[in-house]
Amino acid sequence: MTRPTLYFDGSCGMCRREIDHLRPRLRHRIDLVDISQNGFQPPAGYQLADMMAQLHFHDGQRMQVGLCASLGYWRVAGGGFRWLARVLTLPGLFQCGDWAYNRWAAWRLRRLRCEPPR
């Protein structure tokens, strides 16, 4: 099993703030990779544009995307984040959360003009 890896967009202020807040809980447990850095190469089978569009978290066995990625690294972070992840996996709440995450991610790309590095 490989070490878990969180791929995040460090050029997005909101994304960066969340990762900076959680970094003390995460840094010894998972690799944090800022995909907005020049020279970033996506893992095999993934495109940078898709990774910029939604959060990606490789849990050591499989890649999780979007809300599932957030839930994955929140579980690793522990504390109240583990509780929040558990609640958001409940039927109905997961679907609502996933819908909201997808709308937010689309808005973020349009409004904040988040673009992959060149």
Side-chain angles (χ1 to χ4, degrees), residues 4-110:
T5 304
L6 174 61
Y7 299 94
F8 70 98
D9 178 6
S11 71
C12 170
M14 184 172 154
C15 303
R16 188 177 53 252
R17 282 188 296 277
E18 179 175 356
I19 298 308
D20 287 347
H21 175 72
L22 291 174
R23 190 177 306 274
R25 294 172 171 260
L26 297 174
R27 71 173 165 229
H28 298 296
R29 298 177 182 157
I30 67 175
D31 292 328
L32 301 171
V33 178
D34 180 352
I35 66 172
S36 70
Q37 295 295 309
N38 286 327
F40 168 74
Q41 293 296 314
Y46 292 88
Q47 300 294 317
L48 180 57
D50 294 335
M51 294 185 84
M52 292 293 283
Q54 291 191 326
L55 196 63
H56 285 63
F57 175 63
H58 190 274
D59 65 9
Q61 296 179 358
R62 63 187 167 86
M63 189 70 81
Q64 299 173 19
V65 179
L67 179 62
C68 290
S70 292
L71 298 177
Y73 77 85
W74 289 350
R75 286 183 191 102
V76 174
F81 294 97
R82 184 176 293 139
W83 175 86
L84 180 58
R86 195 173 301 134
V87 168
L88 285 173
T89 59
L90 293 173
L93 287 179
F94 177 82
Q95 288 80 0
C96 291
D98 191 51
W99 180 87
Y101 178 92
N102 290 329
R103 295 309 158 289
W104 174 82
W107 173 85
R108 179 185 86 91
L109 284 177
R110 281 192 320 274

